[in-house]
Amino acid sequence: MDDMQKDIMAPALYVVATPIGNLGDISLRALELLRVADVVACEDTRHARHLLDHHDIKAPLLAVHQHNEQQAAAKLLEAIGQGKRVALISDAGTPGVSDPGARTVAAVRAAGHRVVPIPGASAAITALSASGLTDEQFHFVGFLPAKVGARRTALEKLATIEAALVFYEAPHRVVETVDDLLAGLGGEREIVIARELTKLFEQIVRLPLAEAPAWLAADSNHQRGEFVLIVAGPAPREGLDAEAERVLKTLLAELPTKQAAKLAAEITGVGKNELYQRAVALKNETL
Ligand code: SAM
C-alpha cells in the first residue's frame, strides 16, 4: 500500500478542493479520495454530480449549505463515528474560503475526529499567482459587505493595511465595487482584474485603479463572469513621520541603536525594522 492509499483509508472528514472552472484542475489525491468516500458533502448536488460524473465517480451526496450546515454537520459526525470516510467539497475551489465548510470542520474537530485537507484550486491564490504583484503580504477580504455603509467602513479600515488586498466579486456588482475601491483606496494604487480564471475567456489585466472604471465600461464582456480583484499595497511611506523621528532621536542620544529602535517601536507603533534602519542612518550621519 503506498502512502497515498494509506492516507485515504482512515475514517475522517476530508476537505477536498475542486476546480474553479477547468475540470482538469483537480489533484490525483482528490480523485482517489472521492472514489473511496462513503459520502460526499457538497453545496449544490447538481453541481457536484456534474463534477463526479465527469470522473465516473458514483459516491452518494449530501447537501450542506449555509442554511443547514449545523444539522448536516451532525449527520456527518455520526457517519465518521461509524467509521466512514466523508468528503467535503464546495461548488468551486477550496471549501471554507468564502464558501460553507468552516462550521462543519469545527464540529468534526471538536468531536475529536480527524480533518484531512486535500489541497487544490482557490480563486484568490490562482489570481495572485498570475498577478505579477510583488507585495510581500496579501490580505484576503473575499466579498465586501453588500450594504453601502458597511462597505465604506470596511474600505476605510482596509485602506491602511500595508498589503495587497484580495477581493471576490460577482458580475452584477463588479462595476459598483470597482467604483468603491477607487473612492476608498485612491486611484494611484494598481489593480489586477482577473476574470474567468482557468476558463475559456480568462482575462487578467493590471492597471491603475483610476483607469479601472473606464476599462470595465469599454466592453460589456469585461463585466462578465467571475472576478478576483487584487489591489496592490499602498506606496511605501517616504521616511518616518515627525513624531517617530523625534522619539527615535531622543532615545538614540541615550541608548544603543538596537535598543533605541526597539523602544521607539513600542512607543510609536512604527515597525522595528524601519526604525532600526533609520537609526543606523542617523548614527552614520553623525559620524
Ligand atoms: N471557494 C472558492 C475559492 O476557493 O476560491 C470561492 C467561492 S466564492 C462563493 C465564489 C467567488 O470566487 C466568485 O464570485 C469569484 O469572485 C471567485 N471565483 C471563483 N471562481 C473563479 C474564477 N474561475 N475566476 C475568477 N474568480 C473566481
Side-chain angles (χ1 to χ4, degrees):
M1 192 185 296
D2 64 22
D3 280 353
M4 189 155 89
Q5 281 170 323
K6 210 169 19 177
D7 202 28
I8 61 178
M9 297 308 280
L13 179 74
Y14 294 85
V15 185
V16 183
T18 58
I20 56 166
N22 188 320
L23 286 180
D25 293 334
I26 187 157
S27 74
L28 294 176
R29 193 161 159 244
L31 288 176
E32 191 86 0
L33 189 276
L34 291 170
R35 277 201 186 96
V36 300
D38 296 295
V39 56
V40 175
C42 60
E43 263 189 283
D44 180 313
T45 50
R46 270 174 314 172
H47 203 104
R49 188 56 72 201
H50 175 67
L51 172 75
L52 297 185
D53 281 350
H54 182 80
H55 296 286
D56 202 20
I57 293 171
K58 310 276 183 240
L61 299 175
L62 176 81
V64 180
H65 40 75
Q66 229 179 337
H67 307 293
N68 78 345
E69 193 168 351
Q70 220 157 346
Q71 298 95 299
K75 282 192 199 159
L76 299 178
L77 269 182
E78 200 184 320
I80 300 169
Q82 291 166 352
K84 295 191 170 150
R85 289 171 293 236
V86 175
L88 174 70
I89 65 174
S90 63
D91 280 353
T94 301
V97 178
S98 294
D99 261 343
R103 286 204 191 118
T104 305
V105 168
V108 171
R109 293 178 67 84
H113 297 299
R114 257 179 94 203
V115 176
V116 182
I118 312 269
S122 188
I125 302 297
T126 306
L128 274 166
S129 74
S131 70
L133 294 175
T134 53
D135 297 76
E136 274 171 25
Q137 297 183 29
F138 71 88
H139 178 97
F140 177 72
V141 183
F143 294 98
L144 278 169
K147 295 202 174 134
V148 179
R151 279 160 90 84
R152 299 237 163 97
T153 312
L155 280 166
E156 263 167 40
K157 287 191 190 143
L158 291 168
T160 60
I161 296 177
E162 294 191 3
L165 305 172
V166 184
F167 302 90
Y168 281 169
E169 199 44 280
H172 65 276
R173 235 190 233 143
V174 71
V175 169
E176 188 193 337
T177 293
V178 165
D179 286 346
D180 288 347
L181 293 180
L182 175 56
L185 305 176
E188 280 169 16
R189 288 173 73 166
E190 297 263 305
I191 184 170
V192 171
I193 303 178
R195 55 178 283 269
E196 295 292 83
L197 290 165
T198 78
K199 303 187 201 175
L200 192 59
F201 296 109
E202 177 179 272
Q203 193 171 27
I204 303 169
V205 296
R206 176 174 169 173
L207 64 177
L209 201 32
E211 293 170 21
W215 184 84
L216 285 173
D219 181 341
S220 61
N221 286 326
H222 291 176
Q223 299 168 28
R224 294 216 168 99
E226 300 192 275
F227 288 84
V228 180
L229 306 169
I230 311 179
V231 179
R237 272 179 293 134
E238 298 227 341
L240 294 177
D241 65 42
E243 176 61 7
E245 180 93 4
R246 190 188 64 76
V247 171
L248 183 64
K249 278 184 176 161
T250 311
L251 292 170
L252 263 181
E254 306 292 333
L255 297 169
T257 316
K258 212 166 168 182
Q259 215 178 337
K262 185 166 174 278
L263 265 180
E266 276 167 28
I267 296 167
T268 63
V270 174
K272 205 167 58 186
N273 287 344
E274 192 179 348
L275 285 161
Y276 180 71
Q277 276 166 22
R278 180 65 186 139
V280 171
L282 284 169
K283 283 260 162 174
N284 288 340
E285 278 169 24
T286 55
L287 285 179

PDB file of all heavy atoms in Angstrom, residues 20-21 90 92-95 97-99 121-124 143 168-170 194-199 226-228, ligand 1:
ATOM      1  N   ILE A  20     -11.982  25.506 -10.172  1.00  0.00           N
ATOM      2  CA  ILE A  20     -12.725  26.789 -10.210  1.00  0.00           C
ATOM      3  C   ILE A  20     -13.188  27.093 -11.630  1.00  0.00           C
ATOM      4  O   ILE A  20     -13.601  28.207 -11.927  1.00  0.00           O
ATOM      5  CB  ILE A  20     -11.886  27.957  -9.645  1.00  0.00           C
ATOM      6  CG1 ILE A  20     -10.552  28.088 -10.400  1.00  0.00           C
ATOM      7  CG2 ILE A  20     -11.658  27.814  -8.157  1.00  0.00           C
ATOM      8  CD1 ILE A  20      -9.845  29.413 -10.132  1.00  0.00           C
ATOM      9  N   GLY A  21     -13.118  26.125 -12.491  1.00  0.00           N
ATOM     10  CA  GLY A  21     -13.553  26.341 -13.878  1.00  0.00           C
ATOM     11  C   GLY A  21     -13.129  25.162 -14.731  1.00  0.00           C
ATOM     12  O   GLY A  21     -13.954  24.344 -15.149  1.00  0.00           O
ATOM     13  N   SER A  90     -17.024  22.073  -2.083  1.00  0.00           N
ATOM     14  CA  SER A  90     -17.949  23.193  -2.301  1.00  0.00           C
ATOM     15  C   SER A  90     -18.187  23.290  -3.805  1.00  0.00           C
ATOM     16  O   SER A  90     -17.666  22.475  -4.570  1.00  0.00           O
ATOM     17  CB  SER A  90     -17.377  24.482  -1.718  1.00  0.00           C
ATOM     18  OG  SER A  90     -16.185  24.834  -2.373  1.00  0.00           O
ATOM     19  N   ALA A  92     -17.039  25.306  -5.924  1.00  0.00           N
ATOM     20  CA  ALA A  92     -15.801  25.566  -6.666  1.00  0.00           C
ATOM     21  C   ALA A  92     -14.688  25.904  -5.693  1.00  0.00           C
ATOM     22  O   ALA A  92     -14.919  26.565  -4.682  1.00  0.00           O
ATOM     23  CB  ALA A  92     -15.996  26.744  -7.621  1.00  0.00           C
ATOM     24  N   GLY A  93     -13.500  25.437  -5.992  1.00  0.00           N
ATOM     25  CA  GLY A  93     -12.332  25.820  -5.204  1.00  0.00           C
ATOM     26  C   GLY A  93     -12.280  25.140  -3.849  1.00  0.00           C
ATOM     27  O   GLY A  93     -12.723  24.002  -3.673  1.00  0.00           O
ATOM     28  N   THR A  94     -11.760  25.885  -2.885  1.00  0.00           N
ATOM     29  CA  THR A  94     -11.479  25.317  -1.573  1.00  0.00           C
ATOM     30  C   THR A  94     -12.634  25.576  -0.606  1.00  0.00           C
ATOM     31  O   THR A  94     -13.012  26.734  -0.416  1.00  0.00           O
ATOM     32  CB  THR A  94     -10.161  25.934  -1.029  1.00  0.00           C
ATOM     33  OG1 THR A  94      -9.119  25.642  -1.966  1.00  0.00           O
ATOM     34  CG2 THR A  94      -9.802  25.364   0.327  1.00  0.00           C
ATOM     35  N   PRO A  95     -13.210  24.525  -0.022  1.00  0.00           N
ATOM     36  CA  PRO A  95     -14.291  24.721   0.953  1.00  0.00           C
ATOM     37  C   PRO A  95     -13.818  25.613   2.097  1.00  0.00           C
ATOM     38  O   PRO A  95     -12.643  25.573   2.485  1.00  0.00           O
ATOM     39  CB  PRO A  95     -14.578  23.301   1.454  1.00  0.00           C
ATOM     40  CG  PRO A  95     -14.091  22.398   0.374  1.00  0.00           C
ATOM     41  CD  PRO A  95     -12.900  23.096  -0.228  1.00  0.00           C
ATOM     42  N   VAL A  97     -13.369  28.754   2.045  1.00  0.00           N
ATOM     43  CA  VAL A  97     -12.852  30.033   1.557  1.00  0.00           C
ATOM     44  C   VAL A  97     -14.005  30.727   0.838  1.00  0.00           C
ATOM     45  O   VAL A  97     -14.363  30.363  -0.283  1.00  0.00           O
ATOM     46  CB  VAL A  97     -11.650  29.833   0.591  1.00  0.00           C
ATOM     47  CG1 VAL A  97     -11.165  31.179   0.063  1.00  0.00           C
ATOM     48  CG2 VAL A  97     -10.534  29.087   1.279  1.00  0.00           C
ATOM     49  N   SER A  98     -14.641  31.700   1.527  1.00  0.00           N
ATOM     50  CA  SER A  98     -15.865  32.352   1.020  1.00  0.00           C
ATOM     51  C   SER A  98     -16.896  31.311   0.590  1.00  0.00           C
ATOM     52  O   SER A  98     -17.617  31.514  -0.393  1.00  0.00           O
ATOM     53  CB  SER A  98     -15.561  33.301  -0.155  1.00  0.00           C
ATOM     54  OG  SER A  98     -14.787  34.381   0.274  1.00  0.00           O
ATOM     55  N   ASP A  99     -16.939  30.221   1.264  1.00  0.00           N
ATOM     56  CA  ASP A  99     -17.843  29.104   0.988  1.00  0.00           C
ATOM     57  C   ASP A  99     -18.163  28.416   2.309  1.00  0.00           C
ATOM     58  O   ASP A  99     -17.378  28.527   3.259  1.00  0.00           O
ATOM     59  CB  ASP A  99     -17.108  28.061   0.107  1.00  0.00           C
ATOM     60  CG  ASP A  99     -17.462  28.187  -1.356  1.00  0.00           C
ATOM     61  OD1 ASP A  99     -18.476  28.836  -1.665  1.00  0.00           O
ATOM     62  OD2 ASP A  99     -16.729  27.618  -2.178  1.00  0.00           O
ATOM     63  N   ALA A 121      -7.309  23.997  -6.086  1.00  0.00           N
ATOM     64  CA  ALA A 121      -7.547  25.356  -6.576  1.00  0.00           C
ATOM     65  C   ALA A 121      -8.251  26.244  -5.563  1.00  0.00           C
ATOM     66  O   ALA A 121      -9.083  25.789  -4.783  1.00  0.00           O
ATOM     67  CB  ALA A 121      -8.394  25.282  -7.849  1.00  0.00           C
ATOM     68  N   SER A 122      -7.892  27.513  -5.582  1.00  0.00           N
ATOM     69  CA  SER A 122      -8.643  28.563  -4.910  1.00  0.00           C
ATOM     70  C   SER A 122      -8.472  29.805  -5.785  1.00  0.00           C
ATOM     71  O   SER A 122      -7.361  30.087  -6.250  1.00  0.00           O
ATOM     72  CB  SER A 122      -8.109  28.805  -3.510  1.00  0.00           C
ATOM     73  OG  SER A 122      -8.992  29.692  -2.852  1.00  0.00           O
ATOM     74  N   ALA A 123      -9.575  30.514  -6.038  1.00  0.00           N
ATOM     75  CA  ALA A 123      -9.510  31.625  -6.994  1.00  0.00           C
ATOM     76  C   ALA A 123      -8.517  32.696  -6.540  1.00  0.00           C
ATOM     77  O   ALA A 123      -7.794  33.268  -7.364  1.00  0.00           O
ATOM     78  CB  ALA A 123     -10.899  32.225  -7.182  1.00  0.00           C
ATOM     79  N   ALA A 124      -8.463  32.962  -5.225  1.00  0.00           N
ATOM     80  CA  ALA A 124      -7.575  34.015  -4.716  1.00  0.00           C
ATOM     81  C   ALA A 124      -6.117  33.702  -5.043  1.00  0.00           C
ATOM     82  O   ALA A 124      -5.385  34.546  -5.575  1.00  0.00           O
ATOM     83  CB  ALA A 124      -7.756  34.160  -3.206  1.00  0.00           C
ATOM     84  N   PHE A 143     -15.641  38.698  -0.288  1.00  0.00           N
ATOM     85  CA  PHE A 143     -16.689  39.637  -0.711  1.00  0.00           C
ATOM     86  C   PHE A 143     -16.791  40.794   0.279  1.00  0.00           C
ATOM     87  O   PHE A 143     -16.834  40.566   1.488  1.00  0.00           O
ATOM     88  CB  PHE A 143     -18.042  38.923  -0.764  1.00  0.00           C
ATOM     89  CG  PHE A 143     -18.106  37.859  -1.833  1.00  0.00           C
ATOM     90  CD1 PHE A 143     -17.896  36.525  -1.516  1.00  0.00           C
ATOM     91  CD2 PHE A 143     -18.369  38.199  -3.153  1.00  0.00           C
ATOM     92  CE1 PHE A 143     -17.949  35.543  -2.501  1.00  0.00           C
ATOM     93  CE2 PHE A 143     -18.419  37.226  -4.138  1.00  0.00           C
ATOM     94  CZ  PHE A 143     -18.208  35.897  -3.814  1.00  0.00           C
ATOM     95  N   TYR A 168     -13.240  39.123  -3.786  1.00  0.00           N
ATOM     96  CA  TYR A 168     -14.051  38.337  -4.711  1.00  0.00           C
ATOM     97  C   TYR A 168     -15.226  39.209  -5.128  1.00  0.00           C
ATOM     98  O   TYR A 168     -15.733  39.992  -4.320  1.00  0.00           O
ATOM     99  CB  TYR A 168     -14.602  37.076  -4.013  1.00  0.00           C
ATOM    100  CG  TYR A 168     -13.604  35.939  -3.892  1.00  0.00           C
ATOM    101  CD1 TYR A 168     -13.892  34.840  -3.085  1.00  0.00           C
ATOM    102  CD2 TYR A 168     -12.412  35.943  -4.590  1.00  0.00           C
ATOM    103  CE1 TYR A 168     -12.999  33.786  -2.972  1.00  0.00           C
ATOM    104  CE2 TYR A 168     -11.512  34.894  -4.485  1.00  0.00           C
ATOM    105  CZ  TYR A 168     -11.812  33.814  -3.667  1.00  0.00           C
ATOM    106  OH  TYR A 168     -10.930  32.774  -3.572  1.00  0.00           O
ATOM    107  N   GLU A 169     -15.673  39.065  -6.357  1.00  0.00           N
ATOM    108  CA  GLU A 169     -16.884  39.794  -6.750  1.00  0.00           C
ATOM    109  C   GLU A 169     -17.638  39.077  -7.861  1.00  0.00           C
ATOM    110  O   GLU A 169     -17.048  38.376  -8.688  1.00  0.00           O
ATOM    111  CB  GLU A 169     -16.523  41.241  -7.160  1.00  0.00           C
ATOM    112  CG  GLU A 169     -17.704  42.179  -7.151  1.00  0.00           C
ATOM    113  CD  GLU A 169     -18.622  42.019  -5.909  1.00  0.00           C
ATOM    114  OE1 GLU A 169     -19.456  41.083  -5.898  1.00  0.00           O
ATOM    115  OE2 GLU A 169     -18.498  42.809  -4.954  1.00  0.00           O
ATOM    116  N   ALA A 170     -18.950  39.259  -7.819  1.00  0.00           N
ATOM    117  CA  ALA A 170     -19.828  38.678  -8.830  1.00  0.00           C
ATOM    118  C   ALA A 170     -20.050  39.716  -9.932  1.00  0.00           C
ATOM    119  O   ALA A 170     -19.908  40.917  -9.698  1.00  0.00           O
ATOM    120  CB  ALA A 170     -21.151  38.309  -8.169  1.00  0.00           C
ATOM    121  N   ALA A 194      -8.925  39.961 -12.490  1.00  0.00           N
ATOM    122  CA  ALA A 194      -8.758  38.596 -13.015  1.00  0.00           C
ATOM    123  C   ALA A 194     -10.150  37.991 -13.168  1.00  0.00           C
ATOM    124  O   ALA A 194     -10.837  37.774 -12.177  1.00  0.00           O
ATOM    125  CB  ALA A 194      -7.909  37.764 -12.060  1.00  0.00           C
ATOM    126  N   ARG A 195     -10.567  37.764 -14.411  1.00  0.00           N
ATOM    127  CA  ARG A 195     -11.920  37.233 -14.615  1.00  0.00           C
ATOM    128  C   ARG A 195     -11.869  35.881 -15.332  1.00  0.00           C
ATOM    129  O   ARG A 195     -10.967  35.615 -16.114  1.00  0.00           O
ATOM    130  CB  ARG A 195     -12.826  38.228 -15.350  1.00  0.00           C
ATOM    131  CG  ARG A 195     -12.327  38.740 -16.678  1.00  0.00           C
ATOM    132  CD  ARG A 195     -13.326  39.685 -17.321  1.00  0.00           C
ATOM    133  NE  ARG A 195     -14.425  38.952 -17.917  1.00  0.00           N
ATOM    134  CZ  ARG A 195     -14.449  38.527 -19.183  1.00  0.00           C
ATOM    135  NH1 ARG A 195     -13.455  38.782 -19.999  1.00  0.00           N
ATOM    136  NH2 ARG A 195     -15.483  37.851 -19.624  1.00  0.00           N
ATOM    137  N   GLU A 196     -12.836  35.048 -14.974  1.00  0.00           N
ATOM    138  CA  GLU A 196     -12.990  33.749 -15.652  1.00  0.00           C
ATOM    139  C   GLU A 196     -11.704  32.903 -15.610  1.00  0.00           C
ATOM    140  O   GLU A 196     -11.314  32.287 -16.610  1.00  0.00           O
ATOM    141  CB  GLU A 196     -13.451  33.967 -17.095  1.00  0.00           C
ATOM    142  CG  GLU A 196     -14.841  34.571 -17.199  1.00  0.00           C
ATOM    143  CD  GLU A 196     -15.912  33.606 -16.723  1.00  0.00           C
ATOM    144  OE1 GLU A 196     -16.137  33.540 -15.491  1.00  0.00           O
ATOM    145  OE2 GLU A 196     -16.496  32.905 -17.555  1.00  0.00           O
ATOM    146  N   LEU A 197     -11.066  32.885 -14.456  1.00  0.00           N
ATOM    147  CA  LEU A 197      -9.798  32.160 -14.324  1.00  0.00           C
ATOM    148  C   LEU A 197      -9.966  30.686 -14.675  1.00  0.00           C
ATOM    149  O   LEU A 197     -10.941  30.058 -14.245  1.00  0.00           O
ATOM    150  CB  LEU A 197      -9.270  32.300 -12.891  1.00  0.00           C
ATOM    151  CG  LEU A 197      -8.787  33.701 -12.527  1.00  0.00           C
ATOM    152  CD1 LEU A 197      -8.624  33.848 -11.007  1.00  0.00           C
ATOM    153  CD2 LEU A 197      -7.479  34.029 -13.237  1.00  0.00           C
ATOM    154  N   THR A 198      -9.037  30.184 -15.404  1.00  0.00           N
ATOM    155  CA  THR A 198      -8.948  28.784 -15.866  1.00  0.00           C
ATOM    156  C   THR A 198     -10.032  28.427 -16.893  1.00  0.00           C
ATOM    157  O   THR A 198     -10.143  27.276 -17.300  1.00  0.00           O
ATOM    158  CB  THR A 198      -8.986  27.733 -14.709  1.00  0.00           C
ATOM    159  OG1 THR A 198     -10.346  27.575 -14.253  1.00  0.00           O
ATOM    160  CG2 THR A 198      -8.089  28.072 -13.552  1.00  0.00           C
ATOM    161  N   LYS A 199     -10.844  29.404 -17.292  1.00  0.00           N
ATOM    162  CA  LYS A 199     -11.919  29.130 -18.247  1.00  0.00           C
ATOM    163  C   LYS A 199     -11.569  29.693 -19.625  1.00  0.00           C
ATOM    164  O   LYS A 199     -10.559  30.382 -19.786  1.00  0.00           O
ATOM    165  CB  LYS A 199     -13.235  29.752 -17.761  1.00  0.00           C
ATOM    166  CG  LYS A 199     -13.661  29.278 -16.375  1.00  0.00           C
ATOM    167  CD  LYS A 199     -15.025  29.799 -16.045  1.00  0.00           C
ATOM    168  CE  LYS A 199     -15.266  29.791 -14.559  1.00  0.00           C
ATOM    169  NZ  LYS A 199     -16.525  30.382 -14.178  1.00  0.00           N
ATOM    170  N   GLU A 226     -16.802  35.573 -13.437  1.00  0.00           N
ATOM    171  CA  GLU A 226     -16.447  35.639 -12.011  1.00  0.00           C
ATOM    172  C   GLU A 226     -15.147  36.422 -11.878  1.00  0.00           C
ATOM    173  O   GLU A 226     -14.262  36.302 -12.718  1.00  0.00           O
ATOM    174  CB  GLU A 226     -16.250  34.226 -11.476  1.00  0.00           C
ATOM    175  CG  GLU A 226     -17.495  33.382 -11.620  1.00  0.00           C
ATOM    176  CD  GLU A 226     -17.352  32.111 -10.831  1.00  0.00           C
ATOM    177  OE1 GLU A 226     -16.785  31.147 -11.363  1.00  0.00           O
ATOM    178  OE2 GLU A 226     -17.783  32.095  -9.680  1.00  0.00           O
ATOM    179  N   PHE A 227     -15.061  37.184 -10.800  1.00  0.00           N
ATOM    180  CA  PHE A 227     -13.925  38.111 -10.672  1.00  0.00           C
ATOM    181  C   PHE A 227     -13.140  37.927  -9.377  1.00  0.00           C
ATOM    182  O   PHE A 227     -13.718  37.771  -8.304  1.00  0.00           O
ATOM    183  CB  PHE A 227     -14.421  39.559 -10.649  1.00  0.00           C
ATOM    184  CG  PHE A 227     -14.918  40.039 -11.977  1.00  0.00           C
ATOM    185  CD1 PHE A 227     -16.221  39.768 -12.374  1.00  0.00           C
ATOM    186  CD2 PHE A 227     -14.081  40.739 -12.827  1.00  0.00           C
ATOM    187  CE1 PHE A 227     -16.686  40.203 -13.612  1.00  0.00           C
ATOM    188  CE2 PHE A 227     -14.538  41.186 -14.062  1.00  0.00           C
ATOM    189  CZ  PHE A 227     -15.847  40.910 -14.455  1.00  0.00           C
ATOM    190  N   VAL A 228     -11.811  38.022  -9.517  1.00  0.00           N
ATOM    191  CA  VAL A 228     -10.955  38.309  -8.365  1.00  0.00           C
ATOM    192  C   VAL A 228     -10.341  39.677  -8.654  1.00  0.00           C
ATOM    193  O   VAL A 228      -9.851  39.916  -9.764  1.00  0.00           O
ATOM    194  CB  VAL A 228      -9.834  37.259  -8.192  1.00  0.00           C
ATOM    195  CG1 VAL A 228      -8.969  37.607  -6.982  1.00  0.00           C
ATOM    196  CG2 VAL A 228     -10.402  35.859  -8.032  1.00  0.00           C
TER     197      VAL A 228
HETATM  198  N1  SAM B   1     -14.176  28.575  -2.503  1.00  0.00           N
HETATM  199  C1  SAM B   1     -13.824  29.366  -3.645  1.00  0.00           C
HETATM  200  C2  SAM B   1     -12.300  29.533  -3.691  1.00  0.00           C
HETATM  201  O1  SAM B   1     -11.590  28.753  -3.062  1.00  0.00           O
HETATM  202  O2  SAM B   1     -11.808  30.420  -4.388  1.00  0.00           O
HETATM  203  C3  SAM B   1     -14.555  30.684  -3.695  1.00  0.00           C
HETATM  204  C4  SAM B   1     -16.047  30.569  -3.701  1.00  0.00           C
HETATM  205  S1  SAM B   1     -16.900  32.083  -3.743  1.00  0.00           S
HETATM  206  C5  SAM B   1     -18.541  31.601  -3.366  1.00  0.00           C
HETATM  207  C6  SAM B   1     -17.066  32.410  -5.444  1.00  0.00           C
HETATM  208  C7  SAM B   1     -16.233  33.611  -5.886  1.00  0.00           C
HETATM  209  O3  SAM B   1     -14.883  33.201  -6.108  1.00  0.00           O
HETATM  210  C8  SAM B   1     -16.686  34.215  -7.206  1.00  0.00           C
HETATM  211  O4  SAM B   1     -17.730  35.159  -7.027  1.00  0.00           O
HETATM  212  C9  SAM B   1     -15.417  34.882  -7.678  1.00  0.00           C
HETATM  213  O5  SAM B   1     -15.214  36.108  -7.013  1.00  0.00           O
HETATM  214  C10 SAM B   1     -14.357  33.884  -7.213  1.00  0.00           C
HETATM  215  N2  SAM B   1     -14.110  32.905  -8.274  1.00  0.00           N
HETATM  216  C11 SAM B   1     -14.455  31.605  -8.274  1.00  0.00           C
HETATM  217  N3  SAM B   1     -14.076  31.031  -9.439  1.00  0.00           N
HETATM  218  C12 SAM B   1     -13.483  31.996 -10.174  1.00  0.00           C
HETATM  219  C13 SAM B   1     -12.887  32.038 -11.471  1.00  0.00           C
HETATM  220  N4  SAM B   1     -12.848  30.952 -12.239  1.00  0.00           N
HETATM  221  N5  SAM B   1     -12.376  33.204 -11.901  1.00  0.00           N
HETATM  222  C14 SAM B   1     -12.414  34.309 -11.137  1.00  0.00           C
HETATM  223  N6  SAM B   1     -12.973  34.332  -9.906  1.00  0.00           N
HETATM  224  C15 SAM B   1     -13.496  33.193  -9.443  1.00  0.00           C
END
